Amino acid sequence: MYFQIYQDGVGRGLFGAANALAPREWRWRLRGRNHEVVASGEGYKNKRDCEHAVNLLKGTGLLTPVHYV
């Protein structure tokens, strides 16, 4: 499995509508061995914030609890 960090294709303006003038957001996705997307995250204004989110996820492991709601 591997993470991808990328900028989305079109910026989002007011109410989430596509706007070519709006800044693009940084996003992450986790892909499996077959290259299918397993998980993805929200958009971030700064690349550093997106990288931080990926590092937090990479730091979780088998000891991370699961809460069923």
Side-chain angles (χ1 to χ4, degrees), residues 5-65:
I5 293 178
Y6 64 98
Q7 275 189 296
D8 58 11
V10 176
R12 299 288 170 188
L14 193 59
F15 304 114
N19 180 348
L21 300 177
R24 295 166 38 187
E25 292 185 326
W26 289 94
R27 296 180 178 275
W28 64 266
R29 59 186 163 216
L30 178 63
R31 290 191 177 255
R33 293 180 76 191
N34 62 356
H35 309 289
E36 294 289 327
V37 176
V38 176
S40 60
E42 63 183 276
Y44 297 88
K45 302 290 183 199
N46 301 308
K47 182 179 178 182
R48 187 174 297 175
D49 294 336
C50 187
E51 292 170 335
H52 179 69
V54 167
N55 286 327
L56 288 174
L57 290 167
K58 287 168 60 175
T60 63
L62 296 175
L63 299 178
T64 303

